[in-house]
Amino acid sequence: MSSIAVPGALAPRRTWLTDLPVLLVAVVWGASYLAAKDITTARTVIAVLVLRFAIVLPVLAVAGRRALRALSAAQWRGAGVLGLILSGIFLLETYGVVNTSATNAGLIISLTMIFTPLAEAAVTRTRPSRAFLGAAALSVLGVVLLTQGGGFTRPTLGDLLMLLAALARTVHVLAMSRIKAVRGADALSLTTVQLGAAVAVFALLSTGADATPWGTAADFGSREWAGLLFLSAFCTLFAFFVQMWAVRRTSPSRVSLLLGTEPLWAALAGIALGGERLGALGLTGGALVLVGTAWGRRATS
């Protein structure tokens, strides 16, 4: 999303009214790992992804139909490429959260905030500051401790998949900044095309699979449907529109800072609602991840 200058300082009351919805986005995103874990199995990952985004895609397409028609062929192609990367992110995240705890998933994915500046520095051949390198090292140490909560053993498959998802998110961010065709594209239409491309990938992968989207939907009870609608309506539709609304009323940096609390809410949801336990070692690792990512964000601001 492009940065939009905001003239003048917001009044305290208006600032709070803008910050609260953005903070709610961070809360629902944090809770999304537990929700996805609750309604998904390794067998139904692709089917659930089809259902999650097929529900929300028509709403986005109708809302942004004029902007979609205004996209050039190059913008469609660029957004399509981004959508392919996005499909990889969601596949890694969803398979990852199925195979690890929601707490681990939310904290490990927060390493994107460290990976992205490091990757950008490598691409632009600039040297990161010592403070940032220290923050990166602290975060990596935190992930090591987090995934070894029961003692020093191998990280789980889910932990490794979430680590790959964090790297894939980094690739997505860099691609958005380097694909020239999409830089001036309308944010709503760009998101719609990306999600459309991702749904096409999921639908293709679901062909011939044991668990079809329709069969999975038919097997859902009220609990599963509630979880799916939460992921679609709140974690996708609500989250997207709040970001669009908030970035026009406050600074993108402030929005980013509030969204950076996502791993904290993921940990709280996993522990309070999911009954997950980290142990002393895991709690220390989680704290180091949060401190390291916050320090890294400050070092790059």
Side-chain angles (χ1 to χ4, degrees):
M1 191 175 294
S2 58
S3 299
I4 300 173
V6 180
L10 295 176
R13 177 178 172 80
R14 186 180 170 189
T15 298
W16 173 247
L17 291 176
T18 303
D19 286 351
L20 183 58
V22 178
L23 192 60
L24 286 175
V25 170
V27 172
V28 297
W29 275 356
S32 70
Y33 299 102
L34 185 62
K37 188 176 180 67
D38 191 46
I39 69 170
T40 313
T41 65
R43 180 174 169 270
T44 62
V45 165
I46 296 172
V48 169
L49 286 171
V50 172
L51 293 170
R52 173 180 174 178
F53 294 107
I55 288 173
V56 74
L57 190 60
V59 179
L60 292 175
V62 170
R65 59 189 181 280
R66 291 183 181 177
L68 281 171
R69 288 196 293 266
L71 290 178
S72 66
Q75 288 173 327
W76 275 92
R77 287 194 298 271
V81 170
L82 292 173
L84 293 179
I85 301 173
L86 195 65
S87 67
I89 293 171
F90 281 117
L91 284 168
L92 288 167
E93 284 187 359
T94 312
Y95 275 113
V97 79
V98 165
N99 290 283
T100 189
S101 67
T103 303
N104 276 25
L107 289 166
I108 293 172
I109 202 69
S110 69
L111 288 178
T112 303
M113 292 185 282
I114 298 297
F115 291 156
T116 301
L118 284 176
E120 189 174 16
V123 169
T124 59
R125 297 183 180 180
T126 57
R127 184 179 177 82
S129 67
R130 290 183 179 180
F132 180 79
L133 291 175
L138 192 66
S139 297
V140 171
L141 174 61
V143 168
V144 171
L145 294 178
L146 174 69
T147 57
Q148 310 304 315
F152 285 95
T153 57
R154 280 186 178 183
T156 67
L157 172 63
D159 295 331
L160 296 176
L161 289 174
M162 292 309 300
L163 193 61
L164 289 175
L167 290 169
R169 279 196 185 189
T170 297
V171 171
H172 187 257
V173 171
L174 291 181
M176 285 192 70
S177 68
R178 298 184 72 82
I179 297 177
K180 294 180 180 179
V182 302
R183 290 179 187 172
D186 171 72
L188 175 58
S189 57
L190 180 61
T191 301
T192 304
V193 175
Q194 287 187 78
L195 289 181
V199 169
V201 171
F202 302 145
L204 185 63
L205 292 175
S206 70
T207 304
D210 291 339
T212 65
W214 327 120
T216 300
D219 290 338
F220 274 180
S222 57
R223 179 188 179 93
E224 288 79 13
W225 273 109
L228 181 65
L229 292 175
F230 171 75
L231 291 171
S232 295
F234 290 95
C235 301
T236 307
L237 258 187
F238 169 75
F240 171 74
F241 282 111
V242 165
Q243 287 180 87
M244 288 279 291
W245 169 81
V247 81
R248 287 164 170 77
R249 288 162 175 77
T250 185
S251 71
S253 296
R254 190 176 184 90
V255 172
S256 182
L257 182 65
L258 290 166
L259 293 179
T261 63
E262 174 190 348
L264 174 62
W265 303 112
L268 289 176
I271 293 170
L273 301 177
E276 296 175 357
R277 295 292 180 266
L278 287 177
L281 202 62
L283 287 171
T284 301
L288 289 180
V289 170
L290 293 175
V291 171
T293 51
W295 183 16
R297 292 174 66 84
R298 208 173 300 120
T300 55
S301 61

